mmCIF file of all heavy atoms in Angstrom:
data_model
loop_
_atom_site.group_PDB
_atom_site.id
_atom_site.type_symbol
_atom_site.label_atom_id
_atom_site.label_comp_id
_atom_site.label_asym_id
_atom_site.label_seq_id
_atom_site.Cartn_x
_atom_site.Cartn_y
_atom_site.Cartn_z
ATOM 1 N N ILE A 66 10.041 2.700 -1.470
ATOM 2 C CA ILE A 66 8.975 2.233 -2.430
ATOM 3 C C ILE A 66 8.438 3.575 -3.103
ATOM 4 O O ILE A 66 8.133 3.533 -4.234
ATOM 5 C CB ILE A 66 7.962 1.522 -1.588
ATOM 6 C CG1 ILE A 66 8.510 0.189 -1.088
ATOM 7 C CG2 ILE A 66 6.606 1.413 -2.346
ATOM 8 C CD1 ILE A 66 7.507 -0.522 -0.242
ATOM 9 N N ILE A 67 8.155 4.527 -2.226
ATOM 10 C CA ILE A 67 7.579 5.852 -2.800
ATOM 11 C C ILE A 67 8.490 6.508 -3.785
ATOM 12 O O ILE A 67 8.108 6.953 -4.767
ATOM 13 C CB ILE A 67 7.246 6.735 -1.590
ATOM 14 C CG1 ILE A 67 6.081 6.103 -0.709
ATOM 15 C CG2 ILE A 67 6.804 8.123 -2.193
ATOM 16 C CD1 ILE A 67 5.872 6.919 0.625
ATOM 17 N N ASP A 68 9.719 6.394 -3.575
ATOM 18 C CA ASP A 68 10.736 7.124 -4.425
ATOM 19 C C ASP A 68 10.868 6.359 -5.769
ATOM 20 O O ASP A 68 11.053 7.011 -6.761
ATOM 21 C CB ASP A 68 12.147 7.150 -3.731
ATOM 22 C CG ASP A 68 12.377 8.219 -2.843
ATOM 23 O OD1 ASP A 68 11.469 9.201 -2.892
ATOM 24 O OD2 ASP A 68 13.217 8.160 -2.076
ATOM 25 N N ASN A 69 10.549 5.108 -5.754
ATOM 26 C CA ASN A 69 10.951 4.312 -6.972
ATOM 27 C C ASN A 69 9.697 3.595 -7.631
ATOM 28 O O ASN A 69 9.782 3.217 -8.772
ATOM 29 C CB ASN A 69 11.880 3.153 -6.692
ATOM 30 C CG ASN A 69 13.234 3.702 -6.235
ATOM 31 O OD1 ASN A 69 14.029 4.004 -7.022
ATOM 32 N ND2 ASN A 69 13.568 3.810 -4.913
ATOM 33 N N ALA A 70 8.553 3.746 -6.945
ATOM 34 C CA ALA A 70 7.418 3.088 -7.652
ATOM 35 C C ALA A 70 6.775 3.826 -8.809
ATOM 36 O O ALA A 70 6.797 4.963 -8.799
ATOM 37 C CB ALA A 70 6.199 3.046 -6.555
ATOM 38 N N ASP A 71 6.539 3.099 -9.828
ATOM 39 C CA ASP A 71 5.950 3.795 -11.147
ATOM 40 C C ASP A 71 4.490 4.023 -10.887
ATOM 41 O O ASP A 71 3.822 4.800 -11.620
ATOM 42 C CB ASP A 71 6.262 2.960 -12.315
ATOM 43 C CG ASP A 71 7.727 2.799 -12.652
ATOM 44 O OD1 ASP A 71 8.439 3.786 -12.508
ATOM 45 O OD2 ASP A 71 8.079 1.705 -13.206
ATOM 46 N N ASP A 72 3.908 3.176 -9.997
ATOM 47 C CA ASP A 72 2.497 3.230 -9.802
ATOM 48 C C ASP A 72 2.133 3.308 -8.305
ATOM 49 O O ASP A 72 2.737 2.546 -7.602
ATOM 50 C CB ASP A 72 1.854 1.968 -10.345
ATOM 51 C CG ASP A 72 0.395 2.002 -10.463
ATOM 52 O OD1 ASP A 72 -0.292 2.453 -9.529
ATOM 53 O OD2 ASP A 72 -0.192 1.429 -11.555
ATOM 54 N N PRO A 73 1.236 4.130 -7.858
ATOM 55 C CA PRO A 73 0.890 4.180 -6.433
ATOM 56 C C PRO A 73 0.410 2.904 -5.823
ATOM 57 O O PRO A 73 0.420 2.728 -4.707
ATOM 58 C CB PRO A 73 -0.090 5.289 -6.284
ATOM 59 C CG PRO A 73 -0.503 5.538 -7.739
ATOM 60 C CD PRO A 73 0.539 5.128 -8.662
ATOM 61 N N ASP A 74 -0.120 1.988 -6.792
ATOM 62 C CA ASP A 74 -0.635 0.850 -6.350
ATOM 63 C C ASP A 74 0.503 -0.113 -5.620
ATOM 64 O O ASP A 74 0.174 -1.123 -5.011
ATOM 65 C CB ASP A 74 -1.297 0.023 -7.549
ATOM 66 C CG ASP A 74 -2.808 0.602 -7.802
ATOM 67 O OD1 ASP A 74 -3.228 1.344 -6.958
ATOM 68 O OD2 ASP A 74 -3.284 0.446 -8.834
ATOM 69 N N VAL A 76 2.588 0.895 -3.561
ATOM 70 C CA VAL A 76 2.595 1.287 -2.064
ATOM 71 C C VAL A 76 1.772 0.331 -1.240
ATOM 72 O O VAL A 76 0.595 0.089 -1.807
ATOM 73 C CB VAL A 76 2.147 2.840 -1.958
ATOM 74 C CG1 VAL A 76 2.272 3.226 -0.476
ATOM 75 C CG2 VAL A 76 3.138 3.739 -2.780
ATOM 76 N N ILE A 84 -3.876 7.068 4.004
ATOM 77 C CA ILE A 84 -3.838 8.302 3.312
ATOM 78 C C ILE A 84 -5.212 8.628 2.813
ATOM 79 O O ILE A 84 -5.741 9.821 2.730
ATOM 80 C CB ILE A 84 -2.939 8.255 2.257
ATOM 81 C CG1 ILE A 84 -1.469 8.155 2.888
ATOM 82 C CG2 ILE A 84 -2.875 9.516 1.330
ATOM 83 C CD1 ILE A 84 -0.240 8.036 1.883
ATOM 84 N N ASN A 99 -4.655 16.751 -5.197
ATOM 85 C CA ASN A 99 -3.218 16.715 -4.927
ATOM 86 C C ASN A 99 -2.504 15.511 -5.364
ATOM 87 O O ASN A 99 -1.276 15.270 -5.443
ATOM 88 C CB ASN A 99 -3.015 16.851 -3.330
ATOM 89 C CG ASN A 99 -3.341 18.275 -2.775
ATOM 90 O OD1 ASN A 99 -3.292 19.225 -3.575
ATOM 91 N ND2 ASN A 99 -3.771 18.395 -1.506
ATOM 92 N N LEU A 100 -3.389 14.362 -5.502
ATOM 93 C CA LEU A 100 -2.994 13.111 -5.937
ATOM 94 C C LEU A 100 -2.659 13.053 -7.368
ATOM 95 O O LEU A 100 -2.159 12.063 -7.996
ATOM 96 C CB LEU A 100 -3.891 12.060 -5.502
ATOM 97 C CG LEU A 100 -4.125 11.798 -4.117
ATOM 98 C CD1 LEU A 100 -5.141 10.746 -3.786
ATOM 99 C CD2 LEU A 100 -2.798 11.471 -3.345
ATOM 100 N N ALA A 101 -3.104 14.063 -8.243
ATOM 101 C CA ALA A 101 -3.028 14.023 -9.665
ATOM 102 C C ALA A 101 -1.593 13.855 -10.191
ATOM 103 O O ALA A 101 -0.718 14.466 -9.473
ATOM 104 C CB ALA A 101 -3.804 15.259 -10.312
ATOM 105 N N GLY A 102 -1.415 13.325 -11.337
ATOM 106 C CA GLY A 102 -0.102 13.187 -11.781
ATOM 107 C C GLY A 102 0.901 12.490 -10.801
ATOM 108 O O GLY A 102 0.609 11.389 -10.345
ATOM 109 N N GLU A 103 2.077 13.211 -10.607
ATOM 110 C CA GLU A 103 3.027 12.638 -9.741
ATOM 111 C C GLU A 103 2.704 13.135 -8.246
ATOM 112 O O GLU A 103 3.562 12.863 -7.301
ATOM 113 C CB GLU A 103 4.395 13.171 -10.209
ATOM 114 C CG GLU A 103 5.000 12.337 -11.306
ATOM 115 C CD GLU A 103 5.308 10.947 -10.944
ATOM 116 O OE1 GLU A 103 6.232 10.803 -10.058
ATOM 117 O OE2 GLU A 103 4.678 10.051 -11.567
ATOM 118 N N GLY A 104 1.637 13.987 -8.066
ATOM 119 C CA GLY A 104 1.318 14.430 -6.834
ATOM 120 C C GLY A 104 1.166 13.384 -5.597
ATOM 121 O O GLY A 104 1.479 13.653 -4.493
ATOM 122 N N TRP A 105 0.796 12.142 -6.126
ATOM 123 C CA TRP A 105 0.541 11.141 -4.965
ATOM 124 C C TRP A 105 1.942 10.930 -4.284
ATOM 125 O O TRP A 105 1.913 10.514 -3.134
ATOM 126 C CB TRP A 105 0.107 9.832 -5.742
ATOM 127 C CG TRP A 105 1.124 9.103 -6.688
ATOM 128 C CD1 TRP A 105 1.148 9.359 -8.081
ATOM 129 C CD2 TRP A 105 2.078 8.159 -6.253
ATOM 130 N NE1 TRP A 105 2.199 8.605 -8.546
ATOM 131 C CE2 TRP A 105 2.778 7.901 -7.653
ATOM 132 C CE3 TRP A 105 2.536 7.670 -5.158
ATOM 133 C CZ2 TRP A 105 3.985 7.158 -7.596
ATOM 134 C CZ3 TRP A 105 3.630 6.825 -5.158
ATOM 135 C CH2 TRP A 105 4.277 6.458 -6.392
ATOM 136 N N ARG A 106 3.027 10.956 -5.052
ATOM 137 C CA ARG A 106 4.347 10.758 -4.399
ATOM 138 C C ARG A 106 4.591 11.796 -3.332
ATOM 139 O O ARG A 106 5.043 11.422 -2.277
ATOM 140 C CB ARG A 106 5.427 10.798 -5.506
ATOM 141 C CG ARG A 106 6.634 9.829 -5.163
ATOM 142 C CD ARG A 106 7.683 10.119 -6.252
ATOM 143 N NE ARG A 106 7.147 9.679 -7.566
ATOM 144 C CZ ARG A 106 7.187 8.466 -8.125
ATOM 145 N NH1 ARG A 106 7.573 7.438 -7.292
ATOM 146 N NH2 ARG A 106 6.705 8.178 -9.313
ATOM 147 N N ASP A 107 4.279 12.991 -3.639
ATOM 148 C CA ASP A 107 4.519 14.143 -2.651
ATOM 149 C C ASP A 107 3.582 13.869 -1.395
ATOM 150 O O ASP A 107 3.946 14.094 -0.240
ATOM 151 C CB ASP A 107 4.351 15.450 -3.192
ATOM 152 C CG ASP A 107 5.331 15.730 -4.215
ATOM 153 O OD1 ASP A 107 6.420 15.281 -4.176
ATOM 154 O OD2 ASP A 107 4.988 16.616 -5.113
ATOM 155 N N VAL A 108 2.426 13.497 -1.647
ATOM 156 C CA VAL A 108 1.416 13.331 -0.602
ATOM 157 C C VAL A 108 1.806 12.225 0.335
ATOM 158 O O VAL A 108 1.708 12.176 1.576
ATOM 159 C CB VAL A 108 0.019 13.062 -1.117
ATOM 160 C CG1 VAL A 108 -1.040 12.519 -0.072
ATOM 161 C CG2 VAL A 108 -0.577 14.258 -1.847
ATOM 162 N N MET A 109 2.200 11.098 -0.338
ATOM 163 C CA MET A 109 2.618 9.918 0.501
ATOM 164 C C MET A 109 4.028 10.230 1.277
ATOM 165 O O MET A 109 4.181 9.696 2.329
ATOM 166 C CB MET A 109 2.825 8.698 -0.460
ATOM 167 C CG MET A 109 1.471 8.226 -0.866
ATOM 168 S SD MET A 109 1.691 6.615 -1.856
ATOM 169 C CE MET A 109 -0.107 6.252 -2.107
ATOM 170 N N MET A 110 4.833 10.994 0.597
ATOM 171 C CA MET A 110 6.173 11.207 1.335
ATOM 172 C C MET A 110 5.861 12.214 2.493
ATOM 173 O O MET A 110 6.520 12.013 3.576
ATOM 174 C CB MET A 110 7.175 11.850 0.331
ATOM 175 C CG MET A 110 8.573 11.927 0.874
ATOM 176 S SD MET A 110 9.168 10.305 1.364
ATOM 177 C CE MET A 110 9.566 9.654 -0.368
#
Side-chain angles (χ1 to χ4, degrees):
I66 293 173
I67 294 170
D68 281 342
N69 294 280
D71 294 327
D72 188 322
D74 285 345
V76 176
I84 292 172
N99 292 330
L100 300 174
E103 287 290 296
W105 66 268
R106 207 181 302 273
D107 292 334
V108 169
M109 289 185 174
M110 194 60 77

